[in-house]
Amino acid sequence: MTLRKLTGTAIPLGALYTKENPCIGEYPDLIPFADFCKEAGLKLIQLLPVNDTGTQSSPYSGLSAFALHPIYIRIKDIENFTAIYDTNTKFKKLYDNFIKENNYSGRYNYTKILNQKNELLKLLYDSTQTGQDGKPEPALEKFIKANPWLITYCVYKNLKWNYMQASWKTWHLDDQQKSPEEIKKQWNTMAFKKEHLFYAWQQFIAAEQFGRSVEYIKNCGLLLKGDMPILMNEDSCDAWANPQFFNQNLRAGSPADGENPNGQNWGFPTYNWKNLKENDYSWWKERLNCASKYYDAYRLDHILGFFRIWAIPEADCNALTGHTEPFASFKKDDLYELGFDDDRIRWLSKPHVPTKIVEDITWNHEIAHKILETMCEQLHGEELWLFKDSIKGSKQIQNADLSKFVDENAANRIKEALEKKWSDRALLEVSKNKIIPMWTYGSSTAWGTLSKKETEALTELFEGVNKKNEKLWKKQAEEIFEAITKNKMIPCGEDLGVGIACVPETMKKHNILGLRVVRWSREWSEEGQPYVPFEDYTPLSVTTTSVHDSSTIRQWWTDEKESVRAFIKANEELFEEEAATEEFSPELAEKVLKASSSAASLWYIPPLQDFLYLSPKYYLENADGERINVPGTVNDFNWTYRIPCAVEDLAKNKNLIEKIKKIAKRS
């Protein structure tokens, strides 16, 4: 597809609100939304992921890399809806209650809607002929043959239902591990066939409704951009059925930084890229080919993860003892060459626990020793301890039972102190004789005791490892992108905060558009950290004013005054100097959006919330309610945002449409 300059908008599908459908945004709601976008001069709609996430409301916690989410199915558009509604009292009552109980509000109840829809879908399915005798109707049978991933998905979903949605890791061993042949056999087992076909039927309905909307979007001359979360939930169908492609002993996350001193542990397994490569990246290729039925472009979430992922041992809670995958390393012999003997290497690579950190809490030397003896071994003649070989990670420390020694409050403080010591090291032995520097080596106790000569020698060794790492990371990404980006969709990459030289050049080589979030596009190393001039943005990129994990521009303007003042200074032709002290308004929103639209990026795609600020009608009393997600929190608020008016009303707001159209033309 030829790249051309265009403006679009981003929205979670569930956020759409139409008068016909007050409960949650659904696949058919994209049709009137496409009409609004076309009228407003927008050329692209970007959706957050719409894959099945099961009981998880986050669209980035996928239960399946292929299946669409049944929560977005419109019940009343299913073929036999009217017949069963008119004749089945139970169904009619359930449907009427569903509409009544989930009438429009600023956030929707994900769990409640999901459970009620599943019940309604099951009643509708039971009223059809398909599956009653273990055989699908012709249209469904054709759909199953065209989507071979369905068999595994349906078997998995039915097992998960029977295990009351529990993680597959808690299932009976026979169900935890099934070969492709065993999955196929279970699919064909007559006792389960009707239930298996229910999940296939759901996907058939979802694909038909989504496909119809996608066709309408394209007939309007608009592009549709999807979203590919890089990782899968450990409890996903894909991790269950393809254990060879996932490292269940490692968890993905990010290393320590200023905002996250313990790093981030996302809880998702990392990929086994070696096995994926040996399989010609078939899983990724199939995933993208499936997406290409709907999308013209796609966003690769956390594109840095294709170069290297931050991998954390499953046994650890925080991310401090993580490492990059792949990684270059050194051996003990390299340390011997630098003059470090075994005792010195142990000091650098093993956490040394002073008796004092426990004794300061217990105020009893003898009890401190008894507690440490449960997890550690004392160094001869010293008040220092090493963790036992049986301690594999900080989860064991966290789960230790210290109740016979101290009260709960003291026990928690002791565990916290020991967990902190667990990651207090300068070197990390990832596997036998494969040693790397800890990400936080400079703040370790051991590093602070080294001589200048020792620190200089180790720093030089570390620099050599880092150079090897960059080559490894580039090689891996090159191989992956070469294999998976050869389809008709335009690839985009979420490359925020990436400071690795090989990333932008590799993305450019494979025509992957980067991401530029205006408020974070600054010359961070320069005095005053000025904003990058819009004309200097990389053309092969997407510019946006906000993302789903950030605040909106209204919150930004209200809460981040330093950033706002720097932005005003960079755009003096549009703003008065005192504008930073003004209350956010449609006039200020228009100036921010106009300024941002001048970026040299090929695409300009602000979230719909930021466009809605052009009209005072759509301001919520509390701006916090306009966010999609607050990273690092898990609650019913995240991922349940709804737009503040019906799409039909947006389409009637000529003033808003004209303002968006002017910005789109400017871009």
Side-chain angles (χ1 to χ4, degrees):
M1 183 181 293
T2 304
L3 288 171
R4 66 183 192 277
K5 191 94 169 169
L6 54 78
T7 299
T9 192
I11 189 76
L13 177 56
L16 293 179
Y17 161 44
T18 59
K19 291 177 180 177
E20 184 183 8
N21 171 42
C23 302
I24 184 175
E26 297 171 342
Y27 298 116
D29 291 324
L30 287 166
I31 291 174
F33 187 65
D35 288 334
F36 163 74
C37 290
K38 182 179 180 182
E39 184 71 17
L42 300 173
K43 300 294 184 184
L44 180 148
I45 296 171
Q46 177 176 322
L47 295 177
L48 268 61
V50 295
N51 292 94
D52 188 0
T53 58
T55 59
Q56 302 292 319
S57 62
S58 169
Y60 295 93
S61 187
L63 195 75
S64 169
F66 304 95
L68 294 172
H69 208 315
I71 201 171
Y72 303 127
I73 291 173
R74 179 170 295 174
I75 301 287
K76 66 179 295 186
D77 282 5
I78 297 174
E79 186 177 357
N80 56 329
F81 170 83
T82 302
I84 187 172
Y85 183 84
D86 291 341
T87 59
N88 188 313
T89 305
K90 180 182 178 182
F91 180 85
K92 183 180 188 303
K93 183 178 179 180
L94 283 172
Y95 182 78
D96 289 345
N97 284 340
F98 167 70
I99 297 297
K100 181 181 179 181
E101 292 173 11
N102 297 290
N103 210 346
Y104 173 79
S105 61
R107 317 299 290 196
Y108 59 83
N109 188 323
Y110 176 88
T111 302
K112 184 178 182 180
I113 291 172
L114 178 65
N115 291 338
Q116 290 180 331
K117 277 203 173 183
N118 275 334
E119 189 174 4
L120 288 165
L121 286 166
K122 190 68 168 65
L123 286 170
L124 274 170
Y125 171 75
D126 287 342
S127 74
T128 68
Q129 294 303 308
T130 200
Q132 304 305 316
D133 56 357
K135 293 181 181 178
E137 291 180 346
L140 179 58
E141 186 172 22
K142 182 180 178 182
F143 179 75
I144 293 167
K145 286 181 179 177
N147 296 279
W149 55 266
L150 258 173
I151 292 174
T152 300
Y153 170 77
C154 294
V155 170
Y156 172 81
K157 285 281 282 191
N158 193 45
L159 282 168
K160 198 155 179 63
W161 172 263
N162 288 324
Y163 282 107
M164 300 179 69
Q165 305 302 329
S167 166
W168 62 263
K169 292 184 175 184
T170 67
W171 298 354
H172 296 149
L173 194 59
D174 287 349
D175 290 332
Q176 283 184 35
Q177 301 171 334
K178 284 190 181 294
S179 66
E181 294 74 24
E182 289 171 328
I183 291 172
K184 188 71 176 288
K185 181 180 179 182
Q186 185 145 343
W187 160 261
N188 287 317
T189 300
M190 189 56 67
F192 311 133
K193 201 59 184 282
K194 182 183 175 183
E195 283 71 26
H196 291 157
L197 288 173
F198 166 60
Y199 297 108
W201 175 81
Q202 275 190 341
Q203 288 301 305
F204 174 69
I205 298 297
E208 189 274 330
Q209 290 189 1
F210 191 32
R212 196 180 333 125
S213 297
V214 169
E215 185 179 3
Y216 187 89
I217 289 168
K218 294 180 180 179
N219 287 339
C220 287
L222 276 64
L223 302 182
L224 186 64
K225 181 182 175 186
D227 198 329
M228 294 287 117
I230 181 175
L231 300 164
M232 298 301 301
N233 194 306
E234 67 171 326
D235 189 31
S236 66
C237 169
D238 303 86
W240 170 72
N242 303 287
Q244 72 276 22
F245 296 152
F246 297 87
N247 294 318
Q248 288 290 351
N249 61 327
L250 294 171
R251 293 291 175 269
S254 61
D257 57 34
E259 292 186 4
N260 301 285
N262 288 324
Q264 295 180 56
N265 187 333
W266 302 330
F268 300 131
T270 62
Y271 288 112
N272 186 323
W273 287 113
K274 179 177 179 290
N275 287 349
L276 280 161
K277 181 181 177 181
E278 289 175 357
N279 205 248
D280 196 29
Y281 302 100
S282 59
W283 181 84
W284 265 99
K285 287 179 179 178
E286 187 181 354
R287 184 183 184 189
L288 289 165
N289 285 337
C290 185
S292 70
K293 297 174 184 177
Y294 308 108
Y295 303 117
D296 303 291
Y298 63 101
R299 170 187 177 273
L300 280 171
D301 176 49
H302 189 59
I303 201 165
L304 179 60
F306 292 91
F307 292 80
R308 59 91 167 149
I309 200 78
W310 188 251
I312 306 152
E314 194 276 334
D316 276 325
C317 302
N318 64 42
L320 292 174
T321 51
H323 62 277
T324 65
E325 283 280 351
F327 66 92
S329 63
F330 48 87
K331 300 178 179 179
K332 276 190 177 182
D333 285 347
D334 298 308
L335 295 171
Y336 293 152
E337 286 293 320
L338 297 177
F340 294 92
D341 60 18
D342 285 333
D343 284 344
R344 206 68 171 138
I345 293 170
R346 186 193 67 198
W347 172 243
L348 288 164
S349 60
K350 301 273 189 186
H352 287 61
V353 184
T355 305
K356 190 176 187 303
I357 71 166
V358 177
E359 191 174 343
D360 283 349
I361 298 170
T362 63
W363 293 101
N364 187 304
H365 184 76
E366 185 179 348
I367 290 178
H369 267 244
K370 288 182 181 297
I371 289 171
L372 286 165
E373 284 168 1
T374 65
M375 289 177 268
C376 304
E377 293 175 347
Q378 189 175 10
L379 289 175
H380 181 66
E382 298 185 63
E383 289 296 339
L384 275 179
W385 304 70
L386 297 178
F387 285 102
K388 293 178 180 178
D389 290 341
S390 59
I391 303 295
K392 304 299 182 184
S394 58
K395 285 182 182 177
Q396 285 176 270
I397 299 171
Q398 199 175 73
N399 295 330
D401 182 9
L402 305 182
S403 59
K404 64 182 178 181
F405 305 114
V406 290
D407 62 29
E408 185 179 355
N409 179 54
N412 289 336
R413 289 168 59 202
I414 291 167
K415 290 176 187 179
E416 185 179 340
L418 292 175
E419 279 187 67
K420 190 173 180 180
K421 289 306 292 184
W422 176 255
S423 52
D424 182 12
R425 40 186 129 180
L427 303 178
L428 184 69
E429 189 171 17
V430 179
S431 57
K432 189 172 177 59
N433 209 18
K434 288 189 175 181
I435 306 168
I436 63 170
M438 278 280 286
W439 186 269
T440 52
Y441 70 84
S443 60
S444 67
T445 300
W447 188 263
T449 66
L450 298 179
S451 68
K452 183 180 179 182
K453 181 181 178 182
E454 288 174 321
T455 58
E456 286 177 350
L458 285 174
T459 300
E460 186 177 346
L461 178 65
F462 296 170
E463 287 173 353
V465 169
N466 287 338
K467 288 177 182 177
K468 292 177 183 177
N469 272 332
E470 288 231 12
K471 291 179 181 178
L472 282 175
W473 301 339
K474 183 178 181 180
K475 181 175 182 290
Q476 174 171 283
E478 289 272 14
E479 290 174 349
I480 295 169
F481 294 148
E482 186 66 31
I484 73 173
T485 60
K486 295 182 183 300
N487 55 63
K488 64 181 183 180
M489 296 185 293
I490 298 168
C492 307
E494 185 272 290
D495 56 348
L496 300 176
V498 174
I500 301 171
C502 64
V503 173
E505 61 185 66
T506 306
M507 290 176 65
K508 184 177 180 180
K509 179 179 177 180
H510 293 276
N511 292 315
I512 302 171
L513 279 70
L515 180 63
R516 302 293 175 265
V517 181
V518 173
R519 73 187 75 168
W520 298 328
S521 295
R522 301 173 68 173
E523 301 288 2
W524 296 105
S525 60
E526 293 186 14
E527 186 178 352
Q529 300 175 333
Y531 274 75
V532 175
F534 286 121
E535 62 269 23
D536 291 345
Y537 278 30
T538 307
L540 197 68
S541 67
V542 177
T543 288
T544 186
T545 48
S546 312
V547 292
H548 58 260
D549 279 339
S550 78
S551 59
T552 61
I553 55 171
R554 180 185 172 194
Q555 288 177 297
W556 165 70
W557 190 276
T558 303
D559 300 336
E560 300 179 45
K561 289 302 183 184
E562 183 282 325
S563 178
V564 169
R565 289 189 182 94
F567 179 79
I568 289 171
K569 186 177 180 180
N571 295 277
E572 292 174 334
E573 72 283 1
L574 284 174
F575 297 93
E576 300 293 334
E577 189 176 342
E578 61 273 14
T581 62
E582 296 177 17
E583 186 176 349
F584 194 71
S585 64
E587 292 71 30
L588 287 173
E590 189 168 5
K591 289 179 180 180
V592 172
L593 289 162
K594 276 186 175 179
S596 305
S597 71
S598 67
S601 301
L602 273 167
W603 291 356
Y604 178 51
I605 311 176
L608 185 64
Q609 297 100 302
D610 287 357
F611 274 131
L612 294 185
Y613 290 139
L614 294 169
S615 173
K617 291 175 62 176
Y618 306 127
Y619 283 54
L620 298 184
E621 184 177 347
N622 186 345
D624 293 346
E626 293 156 348
R627 279 194 75 143
I628 293 172
N629 178 52
V630 181
T633 64
V634 179
N635 50 49
D636 293 336
F637 173 90
N638 288 340
W639 311 110
T640 59
Y641 166 77
R642 302 217 67 191
I643 61 175
C645 68
V647 174
E648 297 94 328
D649 290 336
L650 285 182
K652 294 174 184 175
N653 192 330
K654 299 303 179 186
N655 183 46
L656 173 68
I657 285 171
E658 286 306 311
K659 285 183 177 180
I660 296 175
K661 193 179 290 185
K662 285 180 183 177
I663 292 166
K665 283 182 179 179
R666 178 185 172 94
S667 173

